[in-house]
Amino acid sequence: MKDVEKHYASGYEDERLKSGSGKLELARVRELMDRYLPPPPALVLDIGGGTGIHAFWLAARGYEVRLLDLVPLHVELARRASAGASGAGLAEAIVGDARELPWPDAAVDAVLLFGPLYHLTARDERLRSLRECRRVLKPGGVLLAAGISRFASALDGIRAGYLADPAFAAIVEGDLTDGRHRNPTGKPEYFMDTFFHRPEELRAEIAAAGFEVEGILGIEGPGWLRSDLDAWWEDPSLRERLIDLARRLETEPSLLGLSGHLLAVARVT
């Protein structure tokens, strides 16, 4: 997983959800966490939690949040922010691997898995991570797991113009063929080697790990394809229209793959 550490070493993940389509993604993820997480003071694990953008938001609402991330820089930034927080900080922030969680069986109320399922490019490794999540969850506990849509690069290539580059077009061809997003160019804007799910594949993998899947939701809807989304976001009425459209289309089977990211909602029975 050294490639993951290298990709995120600049610390850009700390800002990703604060601009462009990330703003829509963040607003929708918070809406969905509000909808599906048990009420505070439930214990939530944020696995692959980055610098803690979701973890701190939950902690401020009274949750006990423990963050784990593979990237030492992310964990260090989360610890610093927690130590300097004027309100609620994190209960824990540690370096670790989503495939081998350090918590005991049936110990937590909810798990966020918002990165590992696309960074683990082999199916057996994703299943290993999912089974670890199931192991640490209490009966009735909820898993919120994110995947990247199989079609994200194709759509982003049109939105941002990357598809004009033959090298990017070759990346998209690979995505559409087998879900493996391979970036041999070294250009960070083309992301890194990852796995992109079809909605039905995400559902099948989570079910194979022993969960009862309640639903697969589109997070952003089509709004993330606006190239001037920042400008739209500044207009309260346009912002609400984008969010409402994503909400209304979140379970439409024919449009699920149009979202850049998918969210699986599952429980331990």
Side-chain angles (χ1 to χ4, degrees):
M1 302 298 285
K2 290 295 182 182
D3 288 346
V4 176
E5 294 186 48
K6 180 180 178 181
H7 181 80
Y8 290 109
S10 68
Y12 92 94
E13 180 66 11
D14 196 38
E15 299 299 321
R16 185 184 72 82
L17 294 174
K18 299 176 183 177
S19 65
S21 62
K23 293 178 179 178
L24 176 58
E25 180 187 344
L26 180 60
R28 282 283 292 150
V29 166
R30 287 180 172 177
E31 177 178 83
L32 294 168
M33 288 193 295
D34 261 346
R35 188 190 305 172
Y36 289 107
L37 289 179
L43 171 55
V44 180
L45 301 183
D46 190 359
I47 308 302
T51 57
I53 193 166
H54 302 305
F56 284 107
W57 187 79
L58 292 173
R61 281 152 180 75
Y63 288 93
E64 178 184 346
V65 187
R66 299 178 182 272
L67 180 147
L68 178 144
D69 199 87
L70 185 69
V71 181
L73 173 64
H74 288 173
V75 174
E76 178 59 28
L77 291 172
R79 286 173 176 168
R80 289 181 196 171
S82 186
S86 56
L90 304 182
E92 187 177 25
I94 59 174
V95 176
D97 192 318
R99 297 166 293 183
E100 190 172 354
L101 302 179
W103 295 286
D105 296 358
V108 305
D109 301 295
V111 173
L112 308 179
L113 196 68
F114 288 170
L117 290 187
Y118 44 88
H119 285 302
L120 295 169
T121 58
R123 186 176 187 272
D124 62 336
E125 295 296 291
R126 294 193 295 274
L127 289 175
R128 182 178 168 190
S129 174
L130 287 165
R131 287 172 181 140
E132 274 291 274
C133 292
R134 188 178 186 279
R135 178 184 66 78
V136 300
L137 279 164
K138 298 174 182 176
V142 63
L143 170 72
L144 300 182
I148 297 178
S149 167
R150 175 67 55 85
F151 314 106
S153 284
L155 295 168
D156 196 34
I158 296 170
R159 180 193 67 85
Y162 298 145
L163 202 60
D165 180 356
F168 189 83
I171 292 172
V172 170
E173 179 62 27
D175 294 355
L176 299 178
T177 299
D178 61 10
R180 288 291 302 272
H181 181 85
R182 301 171 178 89
N183 177 13
T185 71
K187 295 182 178 181
E189 62 268 32
Y190 294 177
F191 205 31
M192 60 174 297
D193 289 0
T194 36
F195 184 80
F196 293 176
H197 283 87
R198 290 179 178 271
E200 62 272 20
E201 289 174 328
L202 183 58
R203 176 185 289 274
E205 285 185 1
I206 293 173
F211 285 94
E212 179 179 339
V213 182
E214 291 190 3
I216 304 294
L217 310 176
I219 293 179
E220 302 99 327
W224 73 284
L225 297 173
R226 285 293 312 184
S227 59
D228 60 345
L229 194 145
D230 279 312
W232 276 45
W233 202 256
E234 292 304 311
D235 183 317
S237 63
L238 291 177
R239 182 193 317 145
E240 184 53 38
R241 287 176 197 170
L242 288 171
I243 293 172
D244 184 63
L245 185 62
R247 188 183 300 134
R248 290 174 65 86
L249 297 178
E250 67 184 23
T251 58
E252 171 54 49
S254 62
L255 295 175
L256 278 181
L258 190 60
S259 284
H261 294 81
L262 307 167
L263 185 73
V265 181
R267 295 189 186 274
V268 174
T269 55

